[in-house]
Amino acid sequence: MEMFQVRYVLAAAKMLNFTKAATDCNVSQPALTKAVKTLEDELGAPLFHREGKRVLLSEFGRSILPHLQQIMQEAHATRTLADNFRLLNQVPIRLGVMSTIGHVKLARFLAKFQRDYHGVELEVSEASVQELKNRLEQGDLDLAVLNPLEGLGAAFRVHDLYCERYVVVFAPDHRLASLNAIKLVDLSQEPYVDRLSCEMRDLVMGACRERNVSLYARFRSEREDWIQSMVLARIGFAFMPEYSVTSPELLQRPLIEPAVARTVSLASVPGRPYSPATAAMVRAAQTFDWPG
């Protein structure tokens, strides 16, 4: 069964006249008649009763007509989907973002991307580095924004986007507010708000042990909004990536001696072809004017 045969049968069923149906399909009447007869032979029963120039649907033709109409509708839907995919119209991108990455800078990029490719639909979800890696491998995500730490290995394709420093954040009346930068030793014995979801937490805690810096964690949370709220409530200070600080009321100072920074990257699975929309996002990310 060919799609043109289905189209011819539907036109003939509508017009009940092969000549008019051929005109509607922009083919000759003999070509349409032959195509319909070929399909009838293939199906093993007549679709029409011929009465001179007039034709009527047979009982078999009436029973099969809804199925042929559905085939044509599905073909049109498939063609529309393919055109949208090619033209980046109503095409989804599944983007995973590491939960500790601040949304402000990333939102600037996503807003520009949607202005440039307004037909692309974005689905953004947050997760840990390990969960993002698993979802990329399983094909549940197209791209992920994360900190590759010591590297993701050959299992992933990584494009570095930007680097950001770790800063010390505290309430405006904190005793360290007069400093332009803060050494790790300056924080010893200070009340501390612990960001449990931070992928750099072990590195910072290791630096504290090496310098005999003792921190008193008065509050612990995996939620970034709670961390900043508790710092603002003067529960203690926190270490944060500079672009993750969203509260304008918090003070932040660079952490020095040692300085700590992380790289934020765009990850995908090598060897897996990009869709046109995903390829457009990768190109846009590589050329975007990222901070830092």
Side-chain angles (χ1 to χ4, degrees), residues 232-245:
L232 195 57
R234 296 166 178 79
I235 299 298
F237 78 92
F239 298 113
M240 294 194 69
E242 59 183 318
Y243 302 129
S244 293
V245 182

Side-chain angles (χ1 to χ4, degrees), residues 50-63:
R50 281 81 168 170
E51 296 180 355
K53 293 183 178 181
R54 185 166 175 262
V55 295
L56 296 174
L57 275 169
S58 67
E59 184 177 350
F60 175 64
R62 287 193 298 272
S63 67

Side-chain angles (χ1 to χ4, degrees), residues 134-188:
N134 292 341
R135 293 177 65 189
L136 279 172
E137 289 176 331
Q138 294 165 4
D140 295 330
L141 290 175
D142 301 305
L143 298 168
V145 179
L146 47 73
N147 175 4
L149 300 173
E150 283 76 30
L152 298 177
F156 298 93
R157 182 193 296 118
V158 176
H159 304 282
D160 292 342
L161 302 179
Y162 62 89
C163 292
E164 62 178 332
R165 302 173 300 175
Y166 267 59
V167 296
V168 181
V169 295
F170 40 77
D173 56 355
H174 196 278
R175 71 173 187 86
L176 299 175
S178 60
L179 299 179
N180 293 324
I182 297 179
K183 300 176 183 178
L184 195 57
V185 295
D186 295 333
L187 299 169
S188 191

Side-chain angles (χ1 to χ4, degrees), residues 24-249:
D24 187 63
C25 294
N26 199 28
V27 295
S28 68
Q29 188 267 328
L32 182 138
T33 302
K34 180 180 178 182
V36 172
K37 183 64 171 63
T38 301
L39 181 57
E40 289 177 322
D41 291 342
E42 181 181 340
L43 296 175
L47 296 167
F48 298 95
H49 295 308
R50 281 81 168 170
E51 296 180 355
K53 293 183 178 181
R54 185 166 175 262
V55 295
L56 296 174
L57 275 169
S58 67
E59 184 177 350
F60 175 64
R62 287 193 298 272
S63 67
I64 203 172
L65 185 63
H67 300 284
L68 297 179
Q69 291 169 332
Q70 184 176 355
I71 290 173
M72 185 58 67
Q73 290 169 358
E74 290 293 337
H76 284 312
T78 301
R79 190 176 298 110
T80 299
L81 183 64
D83 289 342
N84 287 341
F85 187 82
R86 178 174 50 85
L87 299 173
L88 303 184
N89 183 31
Q90 295 182 330
V91 179
I93 295 178
R94 300 163 302 170
L95 178 67
V97 179
M98 190 172 65
S99 56
T100 63
I101 291 179
H103 63 274
V104 176
K105 303 299 181 184
L106 188 59
R108 286 180 53 241
F109 163 69
L110 295 179
K112 183 179 187 306
F113 179 77
Q114 293 233 288
R115 287 194 299 270
D116 294 341
Y117 300 93
H118 55 84
V120 175
E121 299 173 354
L122 282 173
E123 178 185 319
V124 179
S125 57
E126 288 188 345
S128 65
V129 173
Q130 187 57 52
E131 185 177 349
L132 291 175
K133 289 165 61 176
N134 292 341
R135 293 177 65 189
L136 279 172
E137 289 176 331
Q138 294 165 4
D140 295 330
L141 290 175
D142 301 305
L143 298 168
V145 179
L146 47 73
N147 175 4
L149 300 173
E150 283 76 30
L152 298 177
F156 298 93
R157 182 193 296 118
V158 176
H159 304 282
D160 292 342
L161 302 179
Y162 62 89
C163 292
E164 62 178 332
R165 302 173 300 175
Y166 267 59
V167 296
V168 181
V169 295
F170 40 77
D173 56 355
H174 196 278
R175 71 173 187 86
L176 299 175
S178 60
L179 299 179
N180 293 324
I182 297 179
K183 300 176 183 178
L184 195 57
V185 295
D186 295 333
L187 299 169
S188 191
Q189 302 300 322
E190 282 291 323
Y192 169 57
V193 177
D194 194 357
R195 297 172 59 243
L196 296 177
S197 61
C198 178
E199 78 283 2
M200 303 284 284
R201 183 175 180 272
D202 290 344
L203 186 149
V204 174
M205 293 300 102
C208 289
R209 288 190 295 271
E210 290 174 3
R211 291 163 174 77
N212 295 316
V213 172
S214 177
L215 298 179
Y216 170 40
R218 297 181 63 189
F219 182 87
R220 297 180 175 89
S221 178
E222 294 182 346
R223 285 181 48 172
E224 299 290 276
D225 54 346
W226 272 99
I227 293 294
Q228 295 187 58
S229 294
M230 292 301 102
V231 171
L232 195 57
R234 296 166 178 79
I235 299 298
F237 78 92
F239 298 113
M240 294 194 69
E242 59 183 318
Y243 302 129
S244 293
V245 182
T246 57
S247 173
E249 300 172 81

